[in-house]
Amino acid sequence: MLQQEMADMLNKQLNREFFSAYLYLEIANYYSDQGLDGFANWFTIQTQEERDHAMLFRIYLLNNDTHVQLMEIPAPNQSFSNPKMPLEAALEHERYITSHIHELYAEAHRLKDFRTVQFLDWFVKEQGEEEKNTNDLVKRFELFGEDPKGLYLLDSELASRVYTAPSLVLD
Ligand code: FEO
């Protein structure tokens, strides 16, 4: 069983991952409304990945005989006035999530909870990838997204993204 302090932090992170899924669904909805189905596809897959992250925290808590405390998920309440804004919001959000993963990691070390450290290793790496992917998208939008043809091609490319399950498997 995990120490209570660690369990509370992991439960809060589970909630944040579900909020991330909710935020990216809001973004996918925005792009669908705009007729940018490729961007909508990219963020719908992002939503699936965030749900997976939340479920990994759930499985880890359960596997360690620790109560899973489900909490309210706030509404994203975002409003976007151009197609670049959601990308910047997503990047800011990923940086926020990274800061929390690092806090968890530091706390697990402080508590000498090395099993949790090992579990979180995957998330530390994953956050590096998530930030890079989102930052790349912002940069590519800045290069091509203001031009209608460029935006069309970028949207077509993002339409080809397919969902793959996370590489971290807990049994
Ligand atoms: Fe689960 Fe995008 O962080």
Side-chain angles (χ1 to χ4, degrees):
M1 200 161 174
L2 299 172
Q3 296 172 67
Q4 193 58 49
E5 204 174 342
M6 195 75 252
D8 290 347
M9 288 180 77
L10 291 167
N11 269 299
K12 281 185 188 153
Q13 187 60 30
L14 187 158
N15 180 269
R16 282 188 203 103
E17 299 291 347
F18 273 129
F19 175 77
S20 304
Y22 222 28
L23 173 64
Y24 292 150
L25 198 57
E26 175 115 308
I27 292 176
N29 292 344
Y30 165 80
Y31 284 124
S32 281
D33 287 345
Q34 300 298 310
L36 290 166
D37 290 342
F39 282 85
N41 173 61
W42 200 91
F43 277 98
T44 301
I45 290 169
Q46 207 61 20
T47 297
Q48 291 171 282
E49 288 196 356
E50 298 301 350
R51 179 211 54 203
D52 290 340
H53 295 171
M55 296 302 269
L56 288 169
F57 278 97
R58 171 183 174 267
I59 294 165
Y60 182 73
L61 288 162
L62 291 175
N63 281 356
N64 285 280
D65 197 22
T66 301
H67 177 66
V68 175
Q69 180 70 46
L70 294 179
M71 290 170 269
E72 192 173 352
I73 303 166
N77 269 335
Q78 300 279 318
S79 63
F80 305 117
S81 50
N82 63 63
K84 189 181 168 190
M85 280 179 74
L87 305 179
E88 291 171 326
L91 180 56
E92 186 183 339
H93 183 70
E94 285 303 329
R95 288 174 175 157
Y96 163 78
I97 291 295
T98 297
S99 72
H100 279 291
I101 294 287
H102 289 181
E103 269 178 25
L104 282 166
Y105 201 82
E107 186 64 5
H109 267 285
R110 191 183 74 78
L111 296 170
K112 294 189 169 36
D113 179 351
F114 299 116
R115 191 186 303 167
T116 300
V117 168
Q118 196 174 45
F119 166 69
L120 290 171
D121 274 338
W122 185 87
F123 282 93
V124 171
K125 184 166 179 284
E126 175 73 2
Q127 278 312 119
E129 288 171 14
E130 295 266 270
E131 279 193 40
K132 182 188 182 309
N133 292 340
T134 314
N135 196 30
D136 283 353
L137 208 46
V138 171
K139 285 196 270 186
R140 291 170 71 217
F141 190 93
E142 284 168 351
L143 282 170
F144 311 116
E146 309 294 347
D147 166 67
K149 270 191 206 160
L151 183 60
Y152 177 79
L153 290 172
L154 193 51
D155 189 59
S156 303
E157 187 189 316
L158 297 180
S160 67
R161 184 183 183 190
V162 291
Y163 168 72
T164 47
S167 55
L168 176 64
V169 177
L170 299 173
D171 48 25

